[in-house]
Amino acid sequence: METSHKKIPVGVLGATGMVGQRFIELLQGHPWFELVALAASDKHNGLPYAEVTSWRLSGSDMPADAAQLPVVPCRPEAMPGVKVVFSALPGEIAGEIEIAFAQAGVAVFSNAKNHRMGADVPLLIPEVNADHIAAIPQQQKQRGWSGFIVTNANCSATPLVMALKPLQLAFGVSKALVTTMQAISGAGYPGIPSYDILDNVVPYIGGEEEKLESETLKMLGEWQEGRGFVDAPLAVSAHCNRVATREGHLECASIQLERSVGPEEIIAAWENYVPEPQAAGLPSAPKHALVYRREIDRPQTLRDRDAGNGMTVTLGRLRPCPLFSYKFVMLGHNTIRGAAGGSLLNAEWCVHKGLL
Ligand code: NAP
């Protein structure tokens, strides 16, 4: 592992938003990356970050180094010397901007939906599909880019895929029915008006169910040289709901396994899963990617979302399902594991594999 190299200069696109702020928080004191540039919309051009940003994260203050940085437009020429950008841009504008950076030789780690399903773009969770970075050389060759784009998943797909991967490896999974209870921060800031979400549950999040269903298949699928990404042979059905929690997506799943196993075997598959980022000791990899809690009423959004500094997915309530094999509950922090923390881990994985 490269730990003694000079720090890699990095920038954040969409630095003023919910995910952008998480990036800035997590990049503070990072052993491999140095935050040197912040970008948002042109209206902030040249103004200090502190002047244009209300820090909305609980438990941390705006880092002093970031506070002084000028906010620049989201263009490669405005960020000279930057080797990596973390993109927290809205889907409406992220696509073209991210391509411009990749063309300019920058490695882009994106949270936006635009390139996730690209035929040569890794949709990466290193604990799940670390080998999908093999698509990067092909992406660069086909598109003539010296940089590249790696995306991370929709924040609701991340906990499900992480929970399913060890079960897929050990027993095979053929069906998953998942119902989410997603926090309001998942809609960015200011997100849903308080009048519409307080005392309420909204059983619709535009495009979310489709993303959860399709991204899961890509991530649990394979990268085959000469063929590309091949979806996992799995049927996923999703119900996505917005609930009045601030952070953390809680999800209830019923799954069909391909062979008959006891509950303790499933729990053991989760608890004994030591994926590559953990084995490699990457800086953002939590000690345990998955934690199974045996209390009858866990995981809970408030109590478990910060497990492993927000990078651990917490599981619980495994029990037989009258329709499929088993049902259980999982929880993942949407702006950390499901966004900025996941993206940072993706970049660390690419450094570890010599791509940066
Ligand atoms: P957000 O709070 O609305 O922040 C959006 C950011 O984009 C702000 O910094 C904003 O800067 C900037 N921006 C908006 N329009 C722009 C433009 N025309 N040019 C340049 N910058 C522009 O959104 P978010 O929740 O952080 O989400 C960011 C991305 O991550 C989205 O693609 C989202 O789908 C994805 N994501 C979010 C989550 C989550 O839990 N929130 C999880 C996974 C993925 P200004 O201050 O200049 O407007």
Side-chain angles (χ1 to χ4, degrees):
M1 189 194 317
E2 300 180 41
T3 48
S4 58
H5 58 79
K6 204 165 160 268
K7 285 192 184 183
I8 298 170
V10 306
V12 175
L13 309 178
T16 56
M18 291 302 300
V19 176
Q21 295 191 16
R22 276 288 177 210
F23 273 123
I24 291 165
E25 180 188 59
L26 296 174
L27 283 164
Q28 197 182 13
H30 193 280
W32 301 355
F33 301 128
E34 184 176 3
L35 181 61
V36 298
L38 299 175
S41 61
D42 292 1
K43 66 180 182 242
H44 304 308
N45 195 1
L47 295 171
Y49 183 69
E51 204 172 299
V52 302
T53 309
S54 295
W55 192 252
R56 302 196 189 279
L57 304 186
S58 306
S60 71
D61 290 325
M62 182 186 290
D65 292 351
Q68 298 162 13
L69 284 176
V71 177
V72 299
C74 294
R75 289 194 284 277
E77 59 275 20
M79 301 173 116
V82 163
K83 302 281 183 233
V84 169
V85 290
F86 295 101
S87 171
L89 292 171
E92 293 74 30
I93 51 147
E96 291 303 312
I97 292 174
E98 292 172 356
I99 287 173
F101 276 90
Q103 279 171 335
V106 178
V108 179
F109 292 89
S110 173
N111 284 270
K113 64 183 178 187
N114 308 64
H115 300 293
R116 284 183 191 149
M117 299 307 289
D120 53 4
V121 178
L123 178 55
L124 186 65
I125 300 176
E127 284 101 335
V128 170
N129 58 352
D131 61 316
H132 284 202
I133 60 169
I136 292 173
Q138 185 166 318
Q139 181 194 118
Q140 293 180 305
K141 194 172 162 207
Q142 281 178 180
R143 305 194 190 211
W145 295 348
S146 47
F148 58 84
I149 297 175
V150 168
T151 60
N152 54 346
N154 178 277
C155 43
S156 63
T158 302
L160 178 69
V161 170
M162 288 179 64
L164 292 185
K165 181 67 182 185
L167 310 187
Q168 181 195 34
L169 288 174
F171 319 116
V173 183
S174 58
K175 289 181 192 168
L177 169 62
V178 61
T179 301
T180 71
M181 283 147 275
Q182 299 182 220
I184 52 175
S185 58
Y189 188 85
I192 304 163
S194 55
Y195 195 80
D196 292 334
I197 191 64
L198 286 175
D199 190 28
N200 204 8
V201 173
V202 181
Y204 174 72
I205 304 174
E208 198 84 348
E209 292 169 353
E210 294 82 352
K211 283 185 252 176
L212 209 172
E213 291 170 2
S214 59
E215 292 177 16
T216 299
L217 305 191
K218 181 173 179 180
M219 286 186 280
L220 291 175
E222 292 178 0
W223 168 260
Q224 294 180 3
E225 218 52 60
R227 194 163 166 217
F229 290 109
V230 178
D231 279 353
L234 168 74
V236 181
S237 175
H239 298 268
C240 292
N241 302 288
R242 188 73 74 195
V243 301
T245 53
R246 289 168 63 98
E247 302 207 84
H249 291 351
L250 190 79
E251 306 183 8
C252 300
S254 287
I255 55 166
Q256 181 69 49
L257 300 176
E258 285 178 354
R259 66 181 177 85
S260 181
V261 290
E264 286 306 323
E265 286 179 81
I266 294 177
I267 294 169
W270 282 329
E271 290 185 332
N272 298 333
Y273 189 56
V274 182
E276 296 193 66
Q278 278 65 24
L282 299 187
S284 297
K287 188 170 176 208
H288 302 290
L290 301 170
V291 164
Y292 184 81
R293 297 203 63 121
R294 290 173 187 262
E295 300 96 317
I296 195 66
D297 58 355
R298 303 287 279 270
Q300 293 179 15
T301 304
L302 179 67
R303 301 207 159 88
D304 297 307
R305 64 187 167 204
D306 294 325
N309 294 323
M311 288 294 283
T312 293
V313 168
T314 306
L315 305 150
R317 300 213 63 218
L318 181 73
R319 59 227 192 268
C321 173
L323 296 179
F324 295 158
S325 312
Y326 283 96
K327 50 187 173 179
F328 61 94
V329 180
M330 75 211 97
L331 171 74
H333 196 301
N334 55 297
T335 62
I336 302 180
R337 168 54 85 168
S343 218
L344 204 49
L345 189 63
N346 287 350
E348 291 168 4
W349 181 244
C350 288
V351 172
H352 178 68
K353 299 306 280 183
L355 285 157
L356 288 169

